[in-house]
Amino acid sequence: NKSLRSGIRGESVSVMVKDIFDDYRFKMKNLTFVKGELEKLNKKINIKSSAINPDATISLKDTCDRYNDLIERKMRLEATVSEYEDSISLIDNVLNLMNSDYPVECLALKMRHIECKTLFQMQERLNFSRGQCWNYLKRGEKEMENLLKIVS
């Protein structure tokens, strides 16, 4: 379990939150691609059984196998889209909830883990010292972990 890793300065929290946001960024980037593939596949699946010519060189079994393969791929893509959307929605909801009570910590989390900003870049944007940015980030990571435990 990633949350049980030991380390200094709350590393176990940081590692878990980092992994969650890595997964979040991956799914955000790839969701559009998967939806596009699903849309292309939906256009391919529209075949009419009356259009199948029994005298054609491709056998009816081959046509049905190809059609079934497309249906299976469509079902896998739909499951992937659903899983990506659920996962993204969960993180978005947790961030929105955090933003109401911990706006600076939430902003620090987004900057560090979604926008991939360095502490120096966070310091410049937030107009806080490096230590303050670090503390806000760590508090945000801890709060994120606590909220995820509640909703998961």
Side-chain angles (χ1 to χ4, degrees):
N1 186 355
K2 293 176 185 174
S3 64
L4 298 178
R5 291 181 187 171
S6 61
I8 58 171
R9 291 191 182 185
E11 182 181 327
S12 61
V13 174
S14 180
V15 169
M16 186 189 108
V17 171
K18 181 186 178 312
D19 291 345
I20 288 168
F21 278 111
D22 286 347
D23 185 56
Y24 177 83
R25 283 192 319 273
F26 174 82
K27 289 176 179 176
M28 287 292 289
K29 281 188 221 174
N30 289 301
L31 182 60
T32 305
F33 172 73
V34 175
K35 283 182 174 180
E37 286 297 307
L38 184 58
E39 189 175 309
K40 286 194 297 189
L41 196 57
N42 280 332
K43 291 178 184 175
K44 281 185 181 179
I45 291 180
N46 293 331
I47 61 171
K48 298 174 185 159
S49 58
S50 61
I52 298 174
N53 183 358
D55 298 329
T57 57
I58 300 175
S59 73
L60 182 60
K61 181 184 180 312
D62 290 340
T63 302
C64 289
D65 287 346
R66 193 178 77 216
Y67 181 74
N68 287 332
D69 289 344
L70 290 173
I71 295 294
E72 287 175 19
R73 183 163 184 243
K74 177 185 176 187
M75 289 172 35
R76 284 192 309 269
L77 287 172
E78 286 173 339
T80 300
V81 166
S82 177
E83 189 254 324
Y84 280 17
E85 288 176 338
D86 290 347
S87 181
I88 289 167
S89 176
L90 173 68
I91 300 303
D92 286 342
N93 290 340
V94 168
L95 287 171
N96 287 337
L97 186 59
M98 270 187 70
N99 195 40
S100 62
D101 293 331
Y102 301 95
V104 178
E105 290 84 349
C106 185
L107 182 59
L109 266 179
K110 289 177 182 179
M111 289 176 68
R112 180 66 169 191
H113 294 293
I114 295 175
E115 299 172 19
C116 300
K117 302 287 186 195
T118 64
L119 276 176
F120 181 75
Q121 291 168 324
M122 291 170 60
Q123 176 184 345
E124 286 183 336
R125 184 165 163 198
L126 296 174
N127 293 323
F128 292 130
S129 71
R130 182 181 166 103
Q132 286 174 308
C133 289
W134 178 260
N135 289 335
Y136 282 126
L137 178 62
K138 291 301 158 190
R139 271 187 290 211
E141 288 173 347
K142 182 67 177 165
E143 186 61 25
M144 177 90 175
E145 181 185 60
N146 291 338
L147 288 173
L148 285 171
K149 283 180 185 177
I150 292 170
V151 297
S152 296

